[in-house]
Amino acid sequence: MDEAALAAYFEKTRRMLEESYLAHSEPWRQSGMSGPYQRWVSLRKPVADAVQRSGTFLDTGCANGYLLECLLLWTAERGLHIEAHGLDLSERQVELARRRLPHCSANLHVGNAWDWTPPQRYDFVRTELCYVPAALERAYLERLAQDFLAPDGRLLVANYAESHSEPEKTVFPENTPITDLLARLEQLGMRPEAHFDGYDPIKGRRTRVASLTRAGVLGG
Ligand SMILES: C[S@@+](CC[C@H](N)C(=O)[O-])C[C@H]1O[C@@H](n2cnc3c(N)ncnc32)[C@H](O)[C@@H]1O
């Protein structure tokens, strides 16, 4: 994919997700999850489960900041203190996130995780492989591990379509439809340290969040 096609891909992502997410008023729908609140909890709490100590957390693709808001509550229940940071392609979404989380509005940035330069390192960085075209997945995770993660940080790679019967319907044609996150990471040469699962009985959907050290991504 040449530079112009890549720019068009990111602009399509921004425009289409912004339009579809912001057509709704429920905060989890503005973050791309349909259905009732309980479904959101089942399928997003694994992200919080992967956070096993206090520290800084960057949600790349933070949308309206609702995952960050929930993550602060879910980790506080376990006595952890998390400093929330977020990044999203959509200026409108980041504006909503700043209103939702006014105490950390200075940590919420508009930018593209593929080429954004972080102002600091983070103890936890959450992302999904579908934020870049399939051919860039490895370079994307390597960049996050190299430039975003603190030395002892954890890269949390989420797949919200684990075991999905029609995964191609959940991503753009340029992305890899992933139903087995661990197998895809193995193909990319990456070794997760642990993984955390969620199950939604309403539609039988599964979430998997893989946790990787820098070495698990970069080798060595
Ligand atoms: C499914 S929502 C994720 C919301 C929340 N973080 C969660 O996990 O539930 C995906 C968000 O990622 C953003 N996004 C997609 N590709 C991105 C990229 N390359 N850089 C930054 N944000 C991106 C979209 O604009 C969208 O708001």
Side-chain angles (χ1 to χ4, degrees):
M1 189 179 279
D2 65 22
E3 243 178 67
L6 188 59
Y9 162 82
F10 287 124
E11 176 52 18
K12 175 179 71 172
T13 302
R14 183 202 63 75
R15 183 174 41 80
M16 290 187 67
L17 297 190
E18 188 179 275
E19 274 172 21
S20 68
Y21 294 1
L22 297 185
H24 300 281
S25 55
E26 297 98 323
W28 54 92
R29 287 193 159 217
Q30 292 181 343
S31 272
M33 158 76 73
S34 63
Y37 171 72
Q38 195 47 46
R39 186 157 187 259
W40 165 263
V41 177
S42 307
L43 295 176
R44 291 299 186 271
K45 207 156 183 224
V47 177
D49 296 338
V51 174
Q52 303 207 319
R53 61 182 164 90
S54 297
T56 50
F57 181 103
L58 174 72
D59 188 11
T60 63
C62 66
N64 67 343
Y66 191 54
L67 180 70
L68 284 172
E69 183 181 18
C70 293
L71 181 103
L72 292 177
L73 290 174
W74 292 334
T75 52
E77 286 167 4
R78 288 189 281 120
L80 301 181
H81 176 74
I82 296 300
E83 187 182 285
H85 297 254
L87 172 72
D88 203 281
L89 284 172
S90 162
E91 199 168 338
R92 285 179 64 201
Q93 285 281 35
V94 172
E95 192 43 49
L96 288 178
R98 289 188 180 131
R99 274 188 248 151
R100 177 173 300 286
L101 300 162
H103 64 286
C104 55
S105 67
N107 299 343
L108 301 169
H109 307 276
V110 180
N112 182 344
W114 171 245
D115 59 14
W116 185 67
T117 302
Q120 64 175 82
R121 303 286 183 133
Y122 306 92
D123 298 308
F124 299 94
V125 175
R126 187 215 68 94
T127 197
E128 295 167 67
L129 285 166
C130 59
Y131 291 174
V132 293
L136 300 183
E137 287 173 2
R138 176 178 297 137
Y140 175 56
L141 295 192
E142 287 176 350
R143 182 167 188 276
L144 294 181
Q146 190 91 52
D147 298 343
F148 288 48
L149 266 194
D152 192 32
R154 295 293 183 277
L155 181 60
L156 307 181
V157 182
N159 183 25
Y160 299 143
E162 194 79 2
S163 309
H164 199 290
S165 56
E166 294 178 294
E168 60 289 342
K169 289 192 176 165
T170 69
V171 290
F172 291 120
E174 294 87 343
N175 302 123
T176 312
I178 297 170
T179 52
D180 183 341
L181 177 62
L182 299 185
R184 180 62 186 148
L185 290 170
E186 194 178 335
Q187 282 172 358
L188 296 173
M190 299 184 186
R191 289 174 288 109
E193 178 186 61
H195 62 267
F196 301 83
D197 292 340
Y199 177 64
D200 150 46
I202 298 169
K203 288 193 185 171
R205 294 283 159 77
R206 292 178 192 280
T207 286
R208 176 157 284 179
V209 180
S211 175
L212 297 104
T213 62
R214 290 184 85 215
V217 177
L218 301 170

